[in-house]
Amino acid sequence: MTVVDRIVSAMDREQILQMIKEGGIVGAGGAGFPAHIKLNCTAEVVIANGAECEPLLRTDRLLMERYAGKIVAGLKAAMKAAGASSGVIAVKKKYEKAIKALEEATKSENNISLLYMQSYYPAGDEQQIVYEVTGRIVPAGGLPLDVGAVVQNVSTLANIADSIEGLPVIEKYVTVNGEIERPAVFKVPVGTSVRALIKAAIGPEDLTDYSVIIGGPIMGYISESIDEPVTKTMGGILVFKRSHPLIQKKIRNPVDDIRLAKAVCCQCSYCTQMCPRNALGFKVEPHKVMRLLAMNAPNSMGDINGIFSCCECGICTLYACNFGLAPSRIMQLVKQELLKAGARPQKRTGLRPNSNINDIKVPVSRFITRLGIEKYDRDLPLIEGFTEPKEVMLPLKMHIGAWAEPIVKTGDSVEKGQIIGEIAEDIGANVHASIDGIVTVMEKCIRLRAVEAKGSN
């Protein structure tokens, strides 16, 4: 029994939830939903998402290899908080080292099992992973809890285990990959600049001809400033030549996307046929939205619920379309217009998967080839001895929900781990100092400058 297990066994669920809240735990996989709210429920199963389906990222895989025991301890705490009788760790079969570590960590656990997934994209999509584990489909407009499940990323579970021991989220593991000399997964203080990580990975000194993707190559976004800080949800930093076809597609003007959709789309419907959400029965039909633009006919865009059910995985844009169009971005634009007009998704149960659900799964290896990023698909080391930065920028909102309120003022001295931004009863998460430093309160963030030791040059 681990230290966390002993502490959890002596706690009730309310105490566990309070520890998670105090630690500022949010979904580390990208969504950023506060964990103390997500786990304040009654569920049958807590699913640990270890699929890490975005190519080139290695963060979760390496954490499972090195900290399997911590992840299992966090899963057990999450299960008790959610009143769940079972836990399942979903991990790809190809992650052999991670599987070995997880099997060792769960060998004496009667109510925790492993699910071995194929290496396809997007295996880590929440609806997809719930279906893989339970055989149930989350209702359109609903949540996994509607079918008795709660999903937590494995990095989130490791953070939950830390919070039980009183350690808040002040550090983040981030994959740095692409056109750099020392690609790795770095453990860094939250608030460290992207620039500092690129430098640590021996990236290009002059980034004029490069673009930086925050996140994965498919769903990640192009950074507007490499001085932006690492947040609780940032999983990857990828450096590519600006001339790379992937970058060119990501930076293409939405006006050009619409113009090309009107002029080129032949209604082959490959985008819809390859859509993983459509295969689950959500009626996500991007070819109909493309038809809407071509014909300027609102009645031709298909089920509105299907538009809201799009997970923006990018398969239709980066894999399915033979003409290089961008159905996923068109879907995003239409979704935004629908929301502005007051439309909202309607909850629908009884969805059934299409008969081709297993036939349209996109192998990650094939997707990597299609994206032209094969040479960056490599094993990476885990580096935990990152030199503490002299300055960090801590946004007061690194999560879904309300902004945290600063509880420090300019000029205050704070210690690493101290709460500096606090939430009330709204949805949100606490923010903690990730280094010892002097506070500067700025609009929507807090800057900490490290205090140099006396006698240092």
Side-chain angles (χ1 to χ4, degrees), residues 52 57-65 94-95 98 379:
E52 194 166 42
L57 302 188
R58 297 291 184 270
T59 303
D60 290 345
R61 188 188 313 188
L62 289 176
L63 283 182
M64 288 186 287
E65 291 177 12
K94 65 180 290 185
Y95 297 170
D379 291 333

Side-chain angles (χ1 to χ4, degrees), residues 72-149:
V72 171
L75 175 57
K76 292 166 72 174
M79 289 164 58
K80 187 168 184 178
S85 59
S86 64
V88 178
I89 305 172
V91 59
K92 290 179 181 175
K93 287 181 181 178
K94 65 180 290 185
Y95 297 170
E96 294 177 0
K97 292 181 182 178
I99 287 173
K100 183 177 180 180
L102 290 167
E103 287 178 340
E104 176 65 24
T106 57
K107 64 182 181 182
S108 60
E109 304 295 339
N110 296 324
N111 56 349
I112 295 177
S113 60
L114 271 63
L115 175 78
Y116 307 106
M117 304 178 74
Q118 297 296 327
S119 184
Y120 69 91
Y121 179 84
D125 173 56
E126 196 168 65
Q127 270 76 354
Q128 188 72 44
I129 213 164
V130 168
Y131 178 71
E132 289 260 7
V133 171
T134 69
R136 305 167 187 168
I137 296 178
V138 177
L143 299 170
L145 192 59
D146 291 320
V147 293

Side-chain angles (χ1 to χ4, degrees), residues 36-52:
H36 70 281
I37 296 176
K38 193 172 188 178
L39 291 170
N40 188 12
C41 64
T42 301
E44 297 174 27
V45 58
V46 176
I47 301 171
N49 185 347
E52 194 166 42

Side-chain angles (χ1 to χ4, degrees), residues 137-350:
I137 296 178
V138 177
L143 299 170
L145 192 59
D146 291 320
V147 293
V150 173
V151 182
Q152 292 283 14
N153 175 267
V154 291
S155 293
T156 309
L157 294 173
N159 288 338
I160 286 174
D162 283 340
S163 74
I164 299 301
E165 295 190 84
L167 303 174
V169 181
I170 59 173
E171 294 176 311
K172 178 67 176 169
Y173 290 89
V174 183
T175 298
V176 187
N177 205 345
E179 288 287 340
I180 51 180
E181 294 183 27
R182 189 173 70 150
V185 174
F186 293 89
K187 180 183 181 183
V188 300
V190 173
T192 302
S193 72
V194 169
R195 183 188 299 274
L197 272 169
I198 294 174
K199 182 178 180 180
I202 314 181
E205 291 186 12
D206 183 358
L207 288 165
T208 303
D209 296 327
Y210 295 84
S211 288
V212 176
I213 295 177
I214 303 300
I218 302 171
M219 297 184 72
Y221 64 89
I222 303 289
S223 177
E224 295 183 2
S225 169
I226 61 170
D227 290 314
E228 70 173 289
V230 170
T231 65
K232 296 178 183 181
T233 61
M234 187 182 292
I237 298 169
L238 306 175
V239 181
F240 293 111
K241 284 276 192 180
R242 190 159 295 170
S243 57
H244 194 286
L246 176 62
I247 298 298
Q248 289 300 302
K249 180 160 281 192
K250 280 183 172 289
I251 64 176
R252 194 165 68 197
N253 192 307
V255 174
D256 292 332
D257 286 336
I258 294 172
R259 178 178 55 81
L260 288 169
K262 290 180 177 180
V264 180
C265 180
C266 68
Q267 287 293 293
C268 68
S269 79
Y270 282 173
C271 53
T272 295
Q273 293 177 47
M274 295 298 297
C275 175
R277 285 287 181 91
N278 187 63
L280 280 170
F282 285 93
K283 292 189 177 181
V284 181
E285 300 171 308
H287 79 284
K288 291 186 177 179
V289 175
M290 300 292 274
R291 184 190 304 170
L292 162 69
L293 293 180
M295 300 174 61
N296 195 26
N299 292 334
S300 70
M301 69 179 174
D303 191 334
I304 289 180
N305 242 34
I307 296 173
F308 283 119
S309 295
C310 170
C311 66
E312 302 173 12
C313 71
I315 282 180
C316 55
T317 295
L318 297 171
Y319 189 88
C321 184
N322 291 321
F323 296 103
L325 306 181
S328 60
R329 290 209 290 273
I330 301 298
M331 291 281 280
Q332 290 176 45
L333 293 172
V334 173
K335 188 188 301 185
Q336 291 167 8
E337 291 303 314
L338 288 171
L339 288 170
K340 288 179 184 177
R344 294 294 183 270
Q346 301 298 311
K347 192 170 182 177
R348 293 181 187 169
T349 59

